[in-house]
């Protein structure tokens, strides 16, 4: 995968990736390793995948953090008129 494609997926500019390469080497290496193999790249346009990943992540949280994320999500939805 090309660097500009990775930047697009992450929602950052390619200059940001270059800055990470220089100033945040560990972060850059983690990101690039994740995208080394296209087969490991999840389909971030698949809403079912995104929802299931969110639920899995929330299931690992302590109750207090789960409540926090619930309130953050509901506040975000309220701002959108839902």
């Amino acid at each position: 995968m090309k660097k500009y494609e990775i930047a697009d997926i992450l929602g950052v500019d390619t200059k940001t990736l270059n800055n990470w390469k220089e100033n945040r080497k560990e972060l850059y290496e983690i990101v690039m390793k994740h995208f080394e193999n296209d087969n490991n790249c999840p389909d971030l346009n698949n809403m079912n995948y995104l929802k299931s990943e969110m639920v899995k992540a929330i299931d690992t949280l302590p109750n207090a953090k789960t409540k926090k994320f619930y309130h953050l999500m509901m506040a975000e939805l309220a701002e959108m008129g839902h």
Side-chain angles (χ1 to χ4, degrees), residues 5-22:
E5 292 171 314
I6 294 170
D8 187 51
I9 289 169
L10 296 174
V12 299
D13 193 89
T14 53
K15 291 177 185 179
T16 300
L17 292 179
N18 292 330
N19 286 338
W20 290 352
K21 186 175 182 178
E22 292 297 316

Side-chain angles (χ1 to χ4, degrees), residues 28-63:
Y28 179 81
E29 288 174 18
I30 290 168
V31 168
M32 298 312 284
K33 186 174 281 190
H34 175 77
F35 290 102
E36 274 179 2
N37 185 351
D38 285 344
N39 295 331
N40 288 336
C41 182
D43 181 2
L44 298 177
N45 293 314
N46 180 338
M47 292 300 113
N48 289 329
Y49 170 78
L50 294 177
K51 290 173 187 177
S52 70
E53 288 298 302
M54 290 168 61
V55 169
K56 281 193 271 183
I58 289 170
D59 283 344
T60 66
L61 296 174
N63 289 340

